[in-house]
Amino acid sequence: MAKFSIRGVWGGSAECGVSRESVTAYVSRLADAGINALFMGIKEGDGLLCWPSEVHPAAVKPAYRDFDLPAVLGEECRAHGIALHAWLIDYYEGELGAANQAHPEWAMRDAAGRPTSETSLRGQRYNAVWMCPARRPGYTDQWLVPIYRELAERYDLVSIHHDYIRYPGDLAPDQYCFCDYCLEEMVRFAGYLNESWPDEPFLHELYDRPHLESHWEQSPRVLPTAWKTWPREWKARFLLEGSFFQGGREDLDYFFYTFRTQQINRFARESYHAVKGANPTIKLSGAVFKNPVQSGRFIGQDWRQFAPYMEIAVPMDYRDHFPGTFDQYLDLLAETIERQKQWSADLESLWIGIAINFLFKEEPAGPFPPDKLPRVLERIASTGVEGVVMFSSGQFDRYGVWRQLPKAFA
Ligand SMILES: [Zn+2]
C-alpha cells in the first residue's frame, strides 16, 4: 500500500467532453479511484486553447468558444474534493496554431534559419513549431505571459502548470535558437563586444599571466573582425563552438547554454509575477526533467533556478527516461528521488511524475502485469515524498489502472 497525501493525474481535455454531464462523469470516476489532484491540459500540443480566451480569441478551439471547460471543471472538482491544476504546453506550438500563423517570426530557427517544422526527426518532417523563448517582443511576452495572467484572473485554480518550459530535446539539443534576435542578443548578453567602442579589440596591455584565459576580466572584443558580414551559419557555429580568446579554449558554449537557461528562467519569473499579480493564492507548478543539472545543459531547463518562481516541481520520472530493466528502474527511481529532494530544497513541494504506458515496455501488446504500477507506487512512497502524479488518465482503461488504484492507494 502506497500512502500519498497528493494523488494526482494528468488528463487531456478530450476526456472531459464538452458538457456538464460528461465533466461530472469524468471527475467522479477520478474521485472514486482515489485521485485528489487533476492536472488538466487546456493548452495542448496543437497550440489551441480550451477556454473562451479573450486575450487570444483566434486560438480558442471551436468547441470551447461557448463551453467554459476550466470553470465547469473547477466546480465539479471542488464538489468532489479534487484540486484543479491547469496544465499548459509552453514553447511547443502547432504549425497551424494561431501564434505561429500570426507571428512566424516568433519561431525558433536553427543555424540554417529553418523553424523546427522544416527539419526532420526519425525520417519524418517534424511539423510542430518550437517558439523562441528569448525574442522580445515575441512569443513569451506577447503570447504566453498574457495567457498565464488571464487564467489567474478568470479561474480559481490550485496551480498553473508549466510543461515544455524549455528548448527542444529530441531535435538536436544544441541547434536552437539562432533566430535574428538571438544572434544579436546572445552577443549583447555575453558582452562579446563593447557597444561604445564596437571595433576596438581591447587587447591586454601585458599578456604576462601564465594562461591566456587569465586575461579575461577587461572584457576584450570576442567577435571575429568580419562578424557583421558573416552568414547565419558561421555566426551560429562561432557562438556554439568558438573561443573567447583567439587561439584559446573552445569555451563559448558556456555562454550559449547560460543564455538559454536565463531565457527560460526569465519566463518562469514573468509568468509567476503575472499569476501572483492577478491572484496570489494560485501557485506555479511544472513538469520538469529528472536531472536539472543535465537538462540545464541540454534543454535550458535548470529547474533548481525556478525556485523563487515555482512552488511545486513534478519531475517526469518516467520509465523511458531511465535505462535498463523494470527492476533497475525501481532502484534508479528511488536513487533519483533522493537527489531530487536536494535539487528541490528551495521549492515548496516535490511530487513525482510517472507514466503508465512506459511501465509495460516488456509487454507492449499485453497482458499488462497488475503488480507493476503498485510496485512503482510503493517504491516512491518509501522515499517519503508527499505526492505522485500519473500520466495519464487517458491510459487508465487500456492498462487496467482504474481497478488497481483504490487498492494501491488504500
Ligand atoms: Zn531566438
Side-chain angles (χ1 to χ4, degrees):
M1 303 304 148
K3 298 268 187 208
F4 297 102
S5 55
I6 307 296
R7 300 174 298 277
V9 68
W10 282 285
S13 60
E15 296 170 69
C16 291
V18 287
S19 70
R20 168 82 59 174
E21 293 68 33
S22 58
V23 170
T24 308
Y26 173 68
V27 170
S28 57
R29 201 175 182 202
L30 293 178
D32 291 346
I35 298 296
N36 66 4
L38 170 61
F39 293 79
M40 177 48 62
I42 57 169
K43 176 182 183 290
E44 298 180 309
D46 54 11
L48 299 178
L49 310 180
C50 302
W51 71 95
S53 170
E54 289 169 18
V55 299
H56 302 311
V60 177
K61 210 176 267 192
Y64 301 99
R65 284 178 194 146
D66 300 314
F67 182 68
D68 197 333
L69 175 63
V72 174
L73 192 57
E75 290 166 13
E76 293 301 319
C77 281
R78 275 188 292 283
H80 288 82
I82 294 177
L84 178 62
H85 305 255
W87 166 29
L88 308 184
I89 306 288
D90 288 335
Y91 284 107
Y92 181 93
E93 274 271 330
E95 193 172 14
L96 301 177
N100 186 53
Q101 290 292 308
H103 292 283
E105 75 279 12
W106 289 352
M108 284 185 196
R109 306 277 157 171
D110 65 10
R114 299 174 303 179
T116 57
S117 54
E118 297 299 327
T119 63
S120 55
L121 178 67
R122 301 182 194 104
Q124 304 225 317
R125 188 173 179 276
Y126 190 76
N127 294 321
V129 174
W130 281 80
M131 308 304 274
C132 174
R135 177 184 282 267
R136 306 298 166 106
Y139 181 74
T140 300
D141 63 331
Q142 302 294 308
W143 198 266
L144 275 186
V145 171
I147 283 176
Y148 277 75
R149 184 179 300 112
E150 179 178 56
L151 287 174
E153 284 168 350
R154 286 180 67 112
Y155 304 112
D156 187 11
L157 300 160
V158 175
S159 89
I160 305 182
H161 186 64
H162 290 290
D163 197 1
Y164 289 72
I165 176 168
R166 59 183 180 89
Y167 284 75
D170 49 4
L171 296 172
D174 302 318
Q175 301 308 310
Y176 303 93
C177 176
F178 297 116
C179 74
D180 293 344
Y181 179 89
C182 285
L183 289 180
E184 281 189 25
E185 195 58 25
M186 221 181 297
V187 165
R188 190 173 298 125
F189 166 81
Y192 288 163
L193 87 173
N194 294 279
E195 286 174 328
S196 50
W197 293 89
D199 299 322
E200 175 64 57
F202 286 122
L203 303 180
H204 214 275
E205 295 87 343
L206 292 169
Y207 287 95
D208 57 348
R209 300 171 184 176
H211 297 283
L212 178 54
E213 282 78 13
S214 313
H215 302 84
W216 64 273
E217 83 277 17
Q218 291 186 350
S219 303
R221 179 184 159 112
V222 172
L223 293 185
T225 311
W227 178 259
K228 273 192 203 145
T229 62
W230 277 13
R232 185 192 311 272
E233 271 169 309
W234 298 10
K235 287 181 175 174
R237 184 173 166 196
F238 179 78
L239 292 171
L240 185 59
E241 299 174 21
S243 305
F244 192 89
F245 289 98
Q246 286 177 44
R249 298 187 63 236
E250 291 172 357
D251 53 1
L252 292 196
D253 59 354
Y254 168 82
F255 302 95
F256 174 81
Y257 297 126
T258 305
F259 177 77
R260 302 202 317 170
T261 52
Q262 159 109 353
Q263 303 312 318
I264 298 299
N265 293 346
R266 184 178 176 191
F267 167 56
R269 183 175 75 240
E270 291 173 353
S271 55
Y272 175 88
H273 288 307
V275 168
K276 297 295 180 181
N279 183 345
T281 67
I282 298 179
K283 297 181 180 182
L284 278 296
S285 61
V288 293
F289 278 67
K290 73 174 198 275
N291 181 327
V293 183
Q294 295 181 5
S295 57
R297 178 263 184 256
F298 288 101
I299 57 175
Q301 187 190 76
D302 184 353
W303 52 266
R304 296 171 302 172
Q305 299 180 38
F306 295 171
Y309 321 119
M310 179 185 284
E311 288 95 340
I312 305 162
V314 189
M316 297 175 286
D317 289 351
Y318 301 171
R319 185 173 169 199
D320 68 322
H321 292 202
F322 292 85
T325 64
F326 182 73
D327 287 312
Q328 286 172 323
Y329 168 60
L330 294 179
D331 292 340
L332 296 172
L333 176 62
E335 174 188 330
T336 300
I337 292 172
E338 294 308 322
R339 303 298 312 279
Q340 288 169 342
K341 289 180 185 172
Q342 297 171 8
W343 289 323
S344 65
D346 294 329
L347 283 82
E348 221 174 85
S349 304
L350 171 70
W351 302 342
I352 302 305
I354 55 168
I356 304 296
N357 55 327
F358 299 121
L359 297 179
F360 304 100
K361 191 164 113 180
E362 289 80 6
E363 309 89 6
F368 308 110
D371 66 323
K372 278 190 160 178
L373 177 60
R375 286 180 66 197
V376 171
L377 293 173
E378 279 169 33
R379 197 63 185 263
I380 295 172
S382 75
T383 68
V385 294
E386 64 174 346
V388 66
V389 183
M390 292 171 285
F391 181 85
S392 66
S393 56
Q395 301 173 355
F396 282 11
D397 276 323
R398 173 170 167 80
Y399 297 102
V401 173
W402 294 110
R403 291 193 295 283
Q404 297 169 18
L405 281 187
K407 204 164 74 178
F409 283 147

